Amino acid sequence: APNRFILLNDLLNKASQSSLLNNLHELNVKLENENSLNLNEHFHYIRKLKFYENKYSEMNKRLTSLQTNLQTSAEYESMLEVLKELNYISNNNLLSLKGQVAAIFGSGKELLLTELIYQNLIDNLTSSEIAALLSSIIFQGKRYDDQFNDENKRKEITPTLHQAKQQLISIARRLDQIQRDYKIPTNIEDELNFSIMSLVYKWAQGAKFYDIMNDPEMEEIDVQEGTIVRTIMRIEELCSDIRNAGKTVGNSELVDKLNQVTALIKRGIVFAPSLYFSETITTL
């Protein structure tokens, strides 16, 4: 601090100001004589370096954008070929009736659901069996069905439902294979989940939610009540889409059957507007 005070005093002193200015001038002349050429040259190269760095950055961005567009374009062309092979569009890229049905579904399972309809997979199922089968497409919880190797623990509910399950797996497997043939990543079969199929079947059969949650089978799987409720509600939404698809293809029997499915599952606490004020809480 004392040294700083002395320097400040010197700076404020007129005599010191003159001496300081002289020193700065001498230093400036010396720097100009010795380094001016180098400084100019260095600045010139730095400016060129910055120019090419900016160019390089711009070209990298354009290249990344082109690669993304090429990849997207390739996937688009591949998907067109898949849709042609499945008869969703014509060779002239015109949408077929089957393609119009697929456009109805917005769940990301368009191909699977459309094939389910066109291969008449649910035509021979009861309304309760349809609800159970659709749960395998909707349910997104942990998979438990593959862990039960004991046949006594594999509750397929009915032989017809078991057969429909195997057919659904075959459809998903075929769709996966067709898309992989065209280098399109897919995992439709792996997304099927049959873990709560039997529980949904019991709900559609008229079982109370309390009894379902206290079913011995629930000891084998760890699924929260809210997850089951959301799954059943989404099944009802899917039924609405399938009904619309049935109307599109003129299948009145399919429409009637899906109306029955909705009537069976849309009840009780699952669809109560309020758990505190709805009269349907008595159906627990």
Side-chain angles (χ1 to χ4, degrees):
N3 290 336
R4 291 175 187 169
F5 182 75
I6 293 171
L7 289 172
L8 182 60
N9 265 345
D10 289 342
L11 184 61
L12 295 176
N13 186 282
K14 289 184 179 181
S16 297
Q17 275 189 1
S18 176
S19 175
L20 179 61
L21 289 173
N22 288 334
N23 289 337
L24 287 174
H25 178 69
E26 291 177 3
L27 179 61
N28 185 49
V29 171
K30 186 176 181 180
L31 286 173
E32 285 181 352
N33 292 336
E34 294 184 359
N35 297 318
S36 60
L37 294 177
N38 289 338
L39 285 173
N40 288 334
E41 185 177 358
H42 289 165
F43 180 77
H44 172 72
Y45 284 120
I46 289 173
R47 185 172 61 179
K48 287 184 68 176
L49 177 64
K50 287 295 180 183
F51 173 80
Y52 286 114
E53 281 181 346
N54 291 337
K55 279 285 187 183
Y56 177 76
S57 178
E58 290 175 6
M59 290 178 67
N60 255 346
K61 289 178 181 178
R62 290 184 63 189
L63 181 60
T64 301
S65 176
L66 286 172
Q67 289 174 336
T68 302
N69 291 337
L70 285 173
Q71 183 178 359
T72 303
S73 177
E75 290 178 357
Y76 171 75
E77 295 295 333
S78 297
M79 198 63 209
L80 281 180
E81 294 304 316
V82 169
L83 295 176
K84 289 177 183 177
E85 183 167 338
L86 292 170
N87 299 317
Y88 286 71
I89 59 175
S90 68
N91 290 330
N92 296 324
N93 296 336
L94 297 177
L95 197 64
S96 66
L97 179 61
K98 193 176 183 182
Q100 294 176 36
V101 171
I104 292 174
F105 302 106
S107 61
K109 307 287 180 65
E110 297 88 352
L111 299 182
L112 181 63
L113 291 167
T114 303
E115 294 300 319
L116 177 146
I117 293 171
Y118 268 80
Q119 297 191 32
N120 305 316
L121 184 58
I122 61 178
D123 285 7
N124 297 322
L125 300 180
T126 66
S127 300
S128 299
E129 290 170 339
I130 293 174
L133 187 67
L134 293 181
S135 73
S136 66
I137 301 175
I138 294 296
F139 182 58
Q140 297 180 343
K142 185 176 179 181
R143 298 182 64 160
Y144 292 92
D145 54 303
D146 292 336
Q147 298 178 10
F148 305 146
N149 296 320
D150 186 352
E151 287 298 323
N152 292 327
K153 291 184 178 181
R154 288 184 175 271
K155 300 183 179 180
E156 303 291 0
I157 307 303
T158 67
T160 308
L161 184 55
H162 171 69
Q163 183 180 4
K165 171 185 173 181
Q166 299 306 317
Q167 290 175 337
L168 184 63
I169 293 173
S170 297
I171 291 173
R173 193 171 293 162
R174 175 174 173 265
L175 291 173
D176 279 338
Q177 186 57 55
I178 291 175
Q179 292 184 85
R180 286 170 185 152
D181 289 343
Y182 290 95
K183 312 299 182 185
I184 298 177
T186 178
N187 56 354
I188 297 175
E189 182 184 359
D190 292 340
E191 291 176 354
L192 293 175
N193 192 334
F194 301 91
S195 298
I196 66 169
M197 187 168 66
S198 62
L199 300 180
V200 174
Y201 178 82
K202 292 172 184 175
W203 173 257
Q205 285 286 91
K208 294 182 178 181
F209 195 77
Y210 175 84
D211 294 334
I212 290 176
M213 296 310 301
N214 287 276
D215 190 285
E217 187 178 352
M218 287 299 295
E219 297 178 1
E220 299 174 343
I221 61 177
D222 182 21
V223 182
Q224 298 297 319
E225 292 92 336
T227 302
I228 295 177
V229 169
R230 285 193 299 273
T231 300
I232 296 174
M233 293 179 71
R234 291 185 61 199
I235 292 172
E236 192 272 335
E237 294 172 359
L238 180 57
C239 285
S240 177
D241 290 337
I242 298 177
R243 276 199 306 273
N244 291 334
K247 293 175 182 177
T248 300
V249 298
N251 190 338
S252 58
E253 293 182 3
L254 180 62
V255 174
D256 292 340
K257 188 164 284 189
L258 269 296
N259 283 331
Q260 295 171 15
V261 175
T262 300
L264 290 177
I265 65 174
K266 195 173 182 179
R267 61 180 177 84
I269 192 175
V270 174
F271 286 88
S274 169
L275 297 183
Y276 301 99
F277 302 107
S278 175
E279 294 179 359
T280 57
I281 197 169
T282 58
T283 62
L284 269 171

